[in-house]
Amino acid sequence: MEARIFPSLLAADFSRLADDVGQVEEAVDGLHVDVMDGHFVPNISFGLSVIEDLRPTTKLFFDTHLMMSNPAFFFPHFKAAGCEMVTVHIEVAPDPTRIAEQARANGLEFGLTLNPPTPFVAVEPFLHLVDNLLIMSVFPGFGGQAFIPEVLEKVERAREMIDSEGMAADIQIDGGITPETGRQARAAGADIFVAGTAIFGQPNPVAAVAELRAALED
Ligand code: DX5
Ligand code: ZN
């Protein structure tokens, strides 16, 4: 599968979101929308009304990363705001079977994610339920942190299991992705690369996407 790049909205300029997203729209494969509730993580990003206002300005797929303690309650609202996929943390839903059903009942694709210290075995029994397995390569809550290379082992294990069992899940990696760390994650088997600082944090985001893509296709 070809590598896909999803810039993280968190690193965009919140006073001109539509312009920032519009600038990279043709160069990227989806938009990573980081929602933080100030409870699951010690930070607050933006909420439903921002997503709703951004929705008509772009055709990009909205991949919504829910760093929230109570994500399922909001599924109908994320759907109504125009999101296509919700990814929830296994740390708040140790058995996500019902939550996965609720996402699908709301017409949403479903992803699971795990923090750097959470072992692969926590998500392993539920991989058949997901469209997206997001392996966090930093502690969630803030952009601009350094990539944690130890998580690459989880990418390798996920790749092996998804391929050997013919499962549909994409493997996504998020946090500290640059052309160099992206290349490492690609070699380990990741499909979708989330990058905030390395795209919206650069003077020329379109050139930054091209540079990342070149590294991933190497
Ligand atoms: C971290 C978020 C990431 C973040 C990545 O809590 O989940 O999506 O925006 O930012 P960078 O690419 O700067 O590490
Ligand atoms: Zn994220």
Side-chain angles (χ1 to χ4, degrees), residues 8 10-11 32 34 36 65 67 136 138-145 174-177 194-198:
S8 168
L10 193 61
H32 185 79
D34 279 305
M36 303 178 182
H65 176 191
M67 286 162 273
M136 287 305 300
V138 297
F139 284 81
F142 301 90
Q145 306 179 74
D174 178 14
I177 294 297
V194 175
T197 307

Side-chain angles (χ1 to χ4, degrees), residues 6-48:
F6 289 12
S8 168
L9 197 58
L10 193 61
D13 179 339
F14 287 6
S15 72
R16 32 164 292 161
L17 285 180
D19 292 346
D20 275 12
V21 172
Q23 203 185 358
V24 296
E25 168 141 21
E26 298 302 324
V28 302
D29 307 294
L31 186 69
H32 185 79
V33 179
D34 279 305
V35 179
M36 303 178 182
D37 67 354
H39 184 261
F40 177 67
V41 288
N43 197 4
I44 297 169
S45 55
F46 49 79
L48 291 158

